[in-house]
Structure formats: C-alpha cells, structure tokens
Amino acid sequence: MMLILLLLWILISGELGVMKFRIGPNGVHFFDRNTGLNVLLDEFCPHQTVWSKSPRQVSVALTNLCDLHCAHCFAPKHKALLHADQVLTWLKELDTEGCLGIGFGGGEPTLHPDFVDICKRAAGETHLAVTFTTHGHRLTQPLVKNLKGSIHFARISVDGIGHTYEEQRGRQFSSLLRGIESIAKLSPFGINIVINERTIFELDAVAELAQQFGASELLLLPQQATNAVASMDELVGRELQNWVSNYRGKVRLAISEVGASGLPICDPLPNETGLQAYAHIDASGILRTSSYSTTGMDIEETGVMSALKRLRNTLEIKQGTQT
Ligand code: SF4
C-alpha cells in the first residue's frame, strides 16, 4: 500500500506542486499550502496503525497580551508568552507527525516581539500552512511587507459594521477598514465574526464587506460565555439558522464546531474527530483540546507528541469514569 501512496504522491506533486499528505480514518488527505487545495482519497480505509499521529490543525496562542478589551474575549488574562525556539521545536515535531497547518493567535499575535521571525521560520523550516488571526489594528505597511511570503492564510475579526463594531471592539471602524485593506495585500484571507444579539443583524453587511475586499471565507463564531457576556441564546441561534439557509453570497461560509449543530455543514472528514482533528497550545505551553477546555497537559521538555499522548490518556480515563 505504501508503494501505491508513494506513486500517487509523486503523480499529484508533479501535477500540482509539492503537496503534503496525512493518513487518517477517512483515507489519505493531500494538501497544498500554497493554493489551499485539498484532495482526499477516500476509496479505502487505512488501518489505524498507519494513521498520522498529529492533529490535522493546531492553534498556538503566542501571547496572552492584547491591546483591546472585548467583552466576549476568552483569552486568559495572566501574562504569558511563548519563546520562538520553543514554538519552532513543537512545530517541527507536529510537521513530521502529519499536521497540515498551524494557526497563530493569542491574545493578539502581532504583539509578540518575535512574531515575524516565528512566521518566517514556521514557513521556511516546516511544510505547515501558516495562518494567524488578528484584530487588524496593528497591520502597518512594514509589518505586512515583512510577513509577505510567510503567511498562507490570515483571519481578521469583524464583529459588525460601523457603530456596532466600535461598541464590540472599542476601536474605530475606519481603522479596521485600513486593517482589512492591509490583510488583503498580505495573503488570501477570511473574516471572523462573533455572533451575538448585536452582530446577528449585520451579517448581510459583513458578508458584503467580505466580498468587496476579496475575502475567501466568512467564519461564523457563535458567542461563548465569558465573565462579561452570555453564550449566544436560542433566539439568535434561530436567526443564524435562517440567515445561513437564505445566504446566497459568493464568500464561502464556515462555522466553529461549537454552535454548528442544526446547520447544514459539509464535513469531508467526519471520522477524524477530537484530538485527531484539532488541538490548541496556550501561551503557557499547555496542550488542550480547545482554547475553552479546562483540561490540559504541560508540554515541558518531553515535547508536543508526548503531551498529546498524555492528554489522550487523561481524557480516556475521564470518559471511562463518566460512563
Ligand atoms: S482582540 Fe481578540 S484577544 Fe484581544 S481582547 Fe479582543 S477578543 Fe481578546
């Protein structure tokens, strides 16, 4: 079987540029970080012993630091910052074990003093797709110039239009528009919107804005509870379902896993779930199932794959005691 895979890889890489692949319960997944092209060979079901060990995607909070104070923010508020060398060691490990992409966040990742260096090294020293999420107010021309070529996809947060945005984020909407212009020059990009009782009524306007600036994705993020705000309520959830059902815009829609239930979603990898699909590393170097999760493993000196194994064991034991 490995020979067939190798031949396929040679064929596909010759046709489409260098593609990375990972093996999982749904087949063999090829991915080109430069074009975003995914090819899934799902005609056969690889045995579990050959599945890639890394999660498909990993997000990394480079720092907890942020210069905004959004009420819906769930980032921890204590000071924490990852060291560039440490991050690179973990990324190389994940890359070798079949991870396809890394997403830098925070806090605000552009506030990390080595942000550009980390992105450049991640793109140059691994085969991972490098992405990041930003509030967009620090995307100066020199920063964009320095990042160019090291970012495969970027995400910018747009919680409503005009006054609504200014209320949600405490920054001028005009400054955000400059941020969107900058990100459009940097790489393919998507717009993130937190869905709550204010932003739900501005989805049409945000979708239009996304199309106007050439965004390729609109990511819907149903609001999660924090100390300052409640989770998206049922009424807003129903409005969201209606809006999605009637959406005819050109920009692709995506939604976070939390809050996706009841919506028509297309998941090409339905069996690749939990830590096989995704993991999060917080700014203190703790590996978690998501940034909301309270269970985590310190990566320490033993490495990210060892922490992943320990986290899986802990979650299995927890699940066992609950059943
Ligand atoms: S911009 Fe992001 S990290 Fe900063 S306070 Fe707002 S939600 Fe939190």
Side-chain angles (χ1 to χ4, degrees):
M1 187 177 84
M2 285 316 285
L3 184 64
I4 298 172
L5 290 181
L6 187 64
L7 285 171
L8 279 169
W9 182 76
I10 291 167
L11 270 175
I12 292 177
S13 62
E15 282 297 313
L16 303 167
V18 178
M19 295 187 89
K20 189 172 180 185
F21 77 87
R22 63 179 269 120
I23 304 172
N26 290 106
V28 183
H29 179 178
F30 290 85
F31 174 65
D32 181 347
R33 67 179 184 173
N34 293 313
T35 59
L37 179 72
N38 288 275
V39 178
L40 179 66
L41 305 182
D42 62 355
E43 284 77 12
F44 57 101
C45 188
H47 191 269
Q48 190 166 359
T49 50
V50 297
W51 291 355
S52 301
K53 293 189 177 65
S54 162
R56 188 172 71 244
Q57 295 285 335
V58 175
S59 60
V60 181
L62 292 177
T63 172
N64 285 343
L65 204 65
C66 186
D67 45 354
L68 268 60
H69 306 282
C70 314
H72 60 259
C73 181
F74 54 82
K77 300 301 170 225
H78 63 272
K79 276 190 183 168
L81 183 87
L82 293 174
H83 192 277
D85 289 338
Q86 200 177 31
V87 174
L88 260 292
T89 306
W90 299 339
L91 297 195
K92 284 176 190 173
E93 216 186 329
L94 290 166
D95 188 29
T96 307
E97 296 297 344
C99 183
L100 297 181
I102 197 81
F104 295 129
E108 170 57 36
T110 60
L111 282 168
H112 192 292
D114 300 323
F115 179 60
V116 171
D117 183 48
I118 292 172
C119 293
K120 281 191 175 171
R121 289 179 63 192
E125 297 174 29
T126 76
H127 298 98
L128 297 165
V130 181
T131 68
F132 75 106
T133 303
T134 178
H135 58 44
H137 295 282
R138 303 189 74 255
L139 294 173
T140 58
Q141 277 188 14
L143 178 62
V144 168
K145 198 173 158 207
N146 281 333
L147 285 172
K148 189 106 182 154
S150 304
I151 301 295
H152 300 98
F153 196 83
R155 297 186 178 279
I156 186 163
S157 305
V158 181
D159 300 332
I161 298 287
H163 191 52
T164 304
Y165 174 84
E166 291 174 355
E167 266 188 22
Q168 302 283 316
R169 294 264 165 181
R171 286 292 167 107
Q172 288 195 337
F173 189 63
S174 55
S175 162
L176 172 75
L177 292 178
R178 286 195 291 278
I180 303 178
E181 263 174 34
S182 300
I183 219 164
K185 288 180 194 145
L186 172 64
S187 66
F189 75 102
I191 281 180
N192 292 0
I193 174 167
V194 173
I195 307 295
N196 58 28
E197 64 287 353
R198 289 295 312 273
T199 59
I200 187 74
F201 300 109
E202 304 204 345
L203 275 168
D204 280 335
V206 174
E208 241 174 67
L209 187 83
Q211 190 175 331
Q212 180 195 331
F213 279 93
S216 46
E217 187 177 279
L218 179 57
L219 174 60
L220 311 168
L221 301 168
Q223 182 169 282
Q224 300 299 301
T226 66
N227 290 335
V229 296
S231 298
M232 179 183 83
D233 64 31
E234 232 175 83
L235 215 64
V236 177
R238 276 204 297 275
E239 281 292 334
L240 179 62
Q241 287 194 5
N242 284 341
W243 186 83
V244 169
S245 311
N246 294 319
Y247 178 70
R248 298 289 176 270
K250 292 206 170 83
V251 180
R252 177 180 74 228
L253 294 184
I255 187 156
S256 58
E257 206 179 323
V258 192
S261 97
L263 289 170
I265 45 174
C266 161
D267 183 0
L269 301 160
N271 301 330
E272 201 167 78
T273 55
L275 284 167
Q276 265 183 307
Y278 170 74
H280 174 74
I281 299 174
D282 72 18
S284 303
I286 310 287
L287 183 79
R288 303 181 186 279
T289 50
S290 76
S291 49
Y292 304 108
S293 171
T294 48
T295 310
M297 284 296 147
D298 197 340
I299 301 175
E300 298 168 332
E301 299 304 314
T302 51
V304 68
M305 296 311 294
S306 158
L308 189 68
K309 204 170 163 188
R310 281 184 281 129
L311 183 56
R312 277 196 178 116
N313 289 342
T314 305
L315 293 173
E316 272 169 24
I317 293 167
K318 264 194 174 179
Q319 242 177 359
T321 53
Q322 278 167 9
T323 50

